[in-house]
Each structure stands twice: as C-alpha cells, then as structure tokens.
Amino acid sequence: MDFCTQWMTKIDCAQQKLQSISLIRQYGRLVKASGLVLEAVGLKLPLGSNCFVERQLDGKVQAVECEVIGFNGKTLYLMPFESTDGILLDARVYTSQYDLTHFSHKVLPIGTGLLGRIVDAMGKPLDGKPLPENIEYEGLINKSLNPLARTPIHQVLDVGIRAINALLTVGQGQRMGLFAGSGVGKSVLLGMMARYTKADIIVVGLIGERGREVKDFIENILGEEGLARSVVVAAPADVSPLLRLQGAAYATKIAENFRDQGFNVLLIMDSLTRYAMAQREIALAIGEPPATKGYPPSVFAKLPALVERAGNDAKGKGAITAFYTVLTEGDDQQDPIADSARAILDGHIVLSRSLAESGHYPAIDIEVSISRVMTDLTPPENEKKSRLFKQLFSSFQRNRDLINVGAYVAGTDPLLDKAISLFPAMQQFLQQGINEHCSYQDAYQQLINIVAVR
C-alpha cells in the first residue's frame, strides 16, 4: 500500500469514528448532467455531504466523488471533485457505508506533523514523503469567535520588509490585503515575508494559481528555511472549484489549530480572488443570479466568513496574522472583489505596475497603501516620522513632471525643496533585494536618518 493510500485510509477511519455507526447506505440515480452540475434523485442528504456516482471508464466501473451543493424538491445538485468522463444517464449514486445524514462535515488532517509538508485540499500529501506520525483529524467547520473575546492588536509583527515595517506597520493578528495585478512581484514579496516574518508557524494556501507556480513558490521563493516551519496547501487552477474553496478553508483550519495551541501563525493566502471566483463558478452553476460584474451575492457573504476566522484569539492563546492577495483585473482598484476585500480587511498594500516596470522592487505604492492599526502600534514620534516621509514622497510625485522639465523654481515650496533633495534616499529606502532582510528597528532608524536631514 503506497503512502497516499495509507494517508487517505487514515482520513477515512477518522471520518468513520465521527460519523453515525448506522450501516445504512443510500442509493439513488442520476437524472441529468449539465455543465459542472449533476442532478440525482432517490437520496436524502444534507448540504455539504459527499456521495459517489458510478462511471464506466477504460472498461472498468469507477466512482466519482461529489459534494451536495444544493437541492430543489427531491432533486439533489451534485458537483464532482474530478472529471465526469464516462458517467451515464441513470448511473447509480450512493453514499458510503456510513449514514452521512448524521454527519456532513469533512474531516482532514491537522497538527504539527504537517510542518514542512505540502498537501492538497483533501489533505493528501503532494511531496512524496512518508506519513507523519503525530497527526490529528478535525472537521473544517469552525464556530465563529466572540468579537469581544478577541485580544486587541497591540504588538508589532516584524515582517522583514523595510517599507512595510516603517511605513505600513503590521500588528500581530492583523488581516492585510496585498492588491496587485499579474506580474508585479506579489509572489516574491510573499516569499520574503514568509522567510523573514517573526512567526512561530507559517501556513500557505496556494488557491487557484497555476500549477507551475506551486513548485516555483516552494523551491525558489519560500526556500528550505521557510518550508521547514510551514504547511503548504495547494489547490491549483485545474482542480474542481469545490477543492479550491476547500483548500482555502483547510489552510485556515490548520492555522486555527496552531493558534489554539498558543502559536503565533502567519497565514498567507494566494489568492482571495481565486477563492471568490471558485464560489462564483459554483453559485452560477446551480442558478444563483449574478449581481455585481457576474459575482452572485453568495460570493460577498463567503469572503468575510473566511477572513474573520483569522486574527487574535482570547487572552493567553495565539494569533493568526493573515496576508491575502487580491488580484485587480487590469489594475482596477475598484474591481468588486478588491472593493469588498478592502472593506473587510485591516489594511491594504497596493503594488504598482508602473513601479515594477521601472525596476522598483518591491513595487509598493506607499501613497495608496495603509495599515489601519499602525497608530495603535507605533509611538507618536515614529508615527510622525512616517507621516513626514509620506508627505515628502507624495509632494515629489505630484510635482514630478514640473521638476523633470525644469519648470519648478527652487524656494517656491520648502516642503518640495526638501523632497527633491531627499528623493534619491527615499527611493533607495523603499527598494529591497529578495535576499535582503531589514528588521523593524533598523527600518525605523533608517527612516529617521532620512527625514531628519535638514
């Protein structure tokens, strides 16, 4: 028996312990297949439960696992986790040998045994390594935290990025969005934070990204040092939208488990937009009407439900600091998902395509980025220096064309005069190499050295 089969057998055993001991197996039949959705009758199953549809492929009878995503009268709407090739009309639909009407929540592996491992959305290992011994199993559904029980964000989290540490200070337990179009360096920035952030454990959810990027992120960006204290959940673009949704929920559940043990966790989700797109595929497939630019209302209900699971727990326990990447189509910051994410997160870091094209990395647009808890984390003097830096940088950028053509007369604006003299130093401050680490204290000291120049 290979290690993947052993792993899935362990999961099945854990599910069976939590499910009803009744040995009732339900049978039904398939009456329709349209797009991503299969319709079955003859079964009575709750939303979220799994069942199997028989198919004939390569001369063999196989089973395709599906999830119940809706119903209409006595008709169940099913969505498969894999290809539907070989499925026939009136194909048999059945549950496992255990009665899933009493238990519909999936049980997946969690715990410290996953550290250094790469798994898929079903908890199956993708790295070809032996099974870990100290593995636990829990359901994906987690109850909401009482907002009054959460510990306020009061401790700075050092992410190792100079511009973020000094100008967009992040707190332990904060939820930040990383807004960027394609190809502006968001994956590299995430990898730098994964390696340099002072967190006990890192959980990375690669949701809906290209399969090539999964290995590239792990080997070239995260690196061995980062992977050693990380768990990576990969649900690339070519898997079912159900698995993409489940991958995000699974990564969050792993992070919650570590938080409950008292660890400070860094959760990186790439990307929140792909999560929303997966929900859009499912919702549209079962007939939910589109609302905003093709996104049904359920998408905007799913986003806060996922994001709110991160953050600080009750006193004496750990915290989840989360970074969610948000893809802005055509660099449009008013994209509905970007706009919704901005409202539910505790700040946003915007990456600029123009900066990336000019060789400025990381391409953080300081003028439009903000950390909403920075004022609660930094001393008044440090906050004053950060605000002055932004004012100087913004003043230069607004008048850049006048300066370049020689139309500005020195002495007209004292603030702009200072900005012109300090701009090379400010620009150098905002740039950082992929292998360069800058601590929170060093970042502020360098900031003070720049703005203190008369």
Side-chain angles (χ1 to χ4, degrees):
M1 183 182 294
D2 60 34
F3 71 92
C4 289
T5 305
Q6 295 175 35
W7 184 286
M8 297 311 293
T9 301
K10 278 190 175 184
I11 297 175
D12 289 340
C13 292
Q15 289 176 328
Q16 291 170 8
K17 289 178 183 179
L18 292 174
Q19 294 166 4
S20 167
I21 61 172
S22 171
L23 295 178
I24 300 173
R25 173 178 280 182
Q26 296 188 51
Y27 292 94
R29 64 186 182 86
L30 194 69
V31 296
K32 185 178 179 181
S34 178
L36 299 175
V37 178
L38 307 177
E39 297 182 18
V41 295
L43 300 101
K44 185 180 290 185
L45 296 173
L47 290 173
S49 60
N50 287 11
C51 60
F52 301 88
V53 178
E54 286 187 349
R55 67 174 173 181
Q56 303 225 358
L57 198 63
D58 298 329
K60 299 178 182 178
V61 177
Q62 301 178 2
V64 177
E65 187 173 2
C66 303
E67 181 176 313
V68 179
I69 59 173
F71 52 81
N72 183 7
K74 295 184 178 180
T75 302
L76 289 181
Y77 296 139
L78 314 176
M79 181 168 284
F81 287 109
E82 53 185 296
S83 170
T84 56
D85 292 347
I87 293 179
L88 299 171
L89 181 65
D90 287 329
R92 189 167 65 162
V93 183
Y94 59 92
T95 64
S96 70
Q97 63 177 341
Y98 289 86
D99 185 4
L100 292 182
T101 60
H102 296 153
F103 185 84
S104 63
H105 303 320
K106 301 174 184 66
V107 178
L108 295 176
I110 59 172
T112 54
L114 291 178
L115 288 175
R117 306 300 301 271
I118 302 101
V119 297
D120 66 8
M122 300 291 286
K124 181 179 176 181
L126 297 174
D127 51 17
K129 295 181 180 178
L131 290 175
E133 297 296 330
N134 50 336
I135 285 291
E136 303 171 4
Y137 297 87
E138 285 190 13
L140 287 180
I141 304 300
N142 210 34
K143 63 180 181 179
S144 300
L145 286 173
N146 184 339
L148 298 182
R150 288 183 182 270
T151 307
I153 299 173
H154 56 76
Q155 185 175 344
V156 172
L157 182 73
D158 186 349
V159 299
I161 311 298
R162 185 164 44 240
I164 298 176
N165 278 341
L167 304 173
L168 305 166
T169 308
V170 176
Q172 191 170 281
Q174 187 173 354
R175 287 83 55 94
M176 290 285 283
L178 190 60
F179 291 69
S182 57
V184 295
K186 70 178 186 307
S187 296
V188 175
L189 182 59
L190 287 175
M192 291 173 67
M193 286 190 287
R195 288 200 304 272
Y196 303 143
T197 298
K198 291 187 176 179
D200 300 322
I201 290 171
I202 302 164
V203 179
V204 181
L206 300 176
I207 310 300
E209 295 301 311
R210 293 183 291 270
R212 177 194 62 80
E213 289 187 335
V214 174
K215 187 172 183 179
D216 182 67
F217 182 89
I218 294 168
E219 294 185 354
N220 302 327
I221 298 177
L222 189 60
E224 291 185 10
E225 181 182 349
L227 182 60
R229 57 182 178 132
S230 302
V231 181
V232 179
V233 178
D238 60 341
V239 302
S240 163
L242 285 173
L243 291 178
R244 280 175 263 153
L245 284 184
Q246 185 169 303
Y250 183 30
T252 305
K253 179 63 183 179
I254 293 172
E256 287 173 324
N257 175 259
F258 286 125
R259 177 184 63 186
D260 293 344
Q261 296 179 50
F263 292 107
N264 294 319
V265 183
L266 175 66
L267 172 63
I268 294 174
M269 190 78 70
D270 187 14
S271 72
L272 196 63
T273 304
R274 305 297 188 198
Y275 175 83
M277 288 178 173
Q279 175 60 24
R280 178 175 64 179
E281 289 180 45
I282 296 171
L284 293 178
I286 60 174
E288 186 178 346
T292 307
K293 288 191 177 180
Y295 287 98
S298 62
V299 172
F300 302 100
K302 281 273 190 181
L303 289 176
L306 179 72
V307 170
E308 282 297 319
R309 293 172 63 177
N312 286 335
D313 204 339
K315 291 183 178 179
K317 294 189 177 180
I320 300 174
T321 307
F323 284 89
Y324 300 93
T325 66
V326 180
L327 299 175
T328 51
E329 296 181 8
D331 298 318
D332 178 16
Q333 296 299 322
Q334 302 308 315
D335 175 82
I337 299 303
D339 197 46
S340 178
R342 203 162 25 238
I344 61 179
L345 295 170
D346 302 322
H348 50 273
I349 299 170
V350 179
L351 300 187
S352 166
R353 185 170 299 279
S354 61
L355 288 176
E357 289 173 348
S358 66
H360 184 292
Y361 290 102
I364 300 173
D365 191 337
I366 292 298
E367 295 181 271
V368 296
S369 303
I370 189 172
S371 171
R372 294 180 180 175
V373 302
M374 182 175 175
T375 54
D376 300 326
L377 299 171
T378 57
E381 185 61 27
N382 285 3
E383 183 188 349
K384 183 178 178 181
K385 299 295 185 186
S386 298
R387 189 165 59 247
L388 176 57
F389 183 100
K390 291 182 179 180
Q391 289 172 346
L392 291 169
F393 190 81
S394 180
S395 176
F396 182 91
Q397 294 289 57
R398 287 196 309 269
N399 296 278
R400 189 168 196 142
D401 291 340
L402 289 176
I403 298 168
N404 289 339
V405 300
Y408 174 72
V409 179
T412 306
D413 183 348
L415 182 68
L416 182 55
D417 289 340
K418 186 173 183 179
I420 293 172
S421 65
L422 295 181
F423 184 74
M426 290 191 293
Q427 193 173 38
Q428 185 177 2
F429 176 85
L430 295 174
Q431 297 183 51
Q432 185 171 334
I434 186 173
N435 295 316
E436 180 185 353
H437 171 263
C438 184
S439 68
Y440 172 75
Q441 292 79 9
D442 289 343
Y444 258 108
Q445 187 57 55
Q446 292 178 37
L447 173 68
I448 292 170
N449 293 340
I450 291 173
V451 298
V453 176
R454 296 187 180 275

